[in-house]
Amino acid sequence: MTFFDSLDVLGTAAFAISGALSAMNRKLDLFGIFIIAFVTAIGGGTIRDTLIGNTPVSWMQNTSNLYLIGGVTVLAIVFRNKLDYLKKSLFLFDTIGLGVFTIIGVEIGIQTGLEPIICVALGAMTGCFGGVVRDILCNEIPVIFRKEIYATASIAGGICFISLHNAKIDQNAVYVSTALLIIIIRLLVVKYKVSLPLFHTRNLKT
């Protein structure tokens, strides 16, 4: 297994746990927990593969991911009471998944021969859209659309990846540096409550 494959496993597991925790937080039944875990783990990659014409999509070609998602979901259910501060655990696994899947999306874009800006966009889609589907199914406004910095961290990571890749830095170092940057940005903006500005119109009486 290559380092890139290891990252794929880590990202899939992290997002599956994130989805399972979110589903349990919404008090869904067993079937609902598995569905939310599944779509969180494969949602971004499915959209990415569809856009670049890589079909059947990756999880259909590599069924080991299905067993991985099922296994970590079972573990999340069994050890749910060990995961103190459910909200913090959800944030941690979601942040890890965001960092790792952004890398995967950008790397696949580069391998496909796409322009750098498209590679960054693919990284953001891969990292963010599983969480978007998760939040919609759990009847929440997706975190990507709220004031919390989420997609911005993914985009920053994608730009970092492209820059280091073009500088001919060792590829494994590029992976680690990009993931750490995204994770650190997410930790810092939440810790210090940094957010993007909100815009709204004044309510008009009719």
Side-chain angles (χ1 to χ4, degrees), residues 58-79:
S58 57
W59 62 269
M60 292 182 176
Q61 300 182 51
N62 182 12
T63 54
S64 60
N65 278 344
L66 302 182
Y67 299 115
L68 172 64
I69 294 168
V72 297
T73 301
V74 169
L75 290 177
I77 294 171
V78 171
F79 294 104

Side-chain angles (χ1 to χ4, degrees), residues 4 8 28 34 49 67 76 113 127 138 142 146 153 178:
F4 184 76
D8 190 22
L28 301 187
F34 275 95
D49 288 347
Y67 299 115
C138 289
R146 287 179 275 173
T178 302

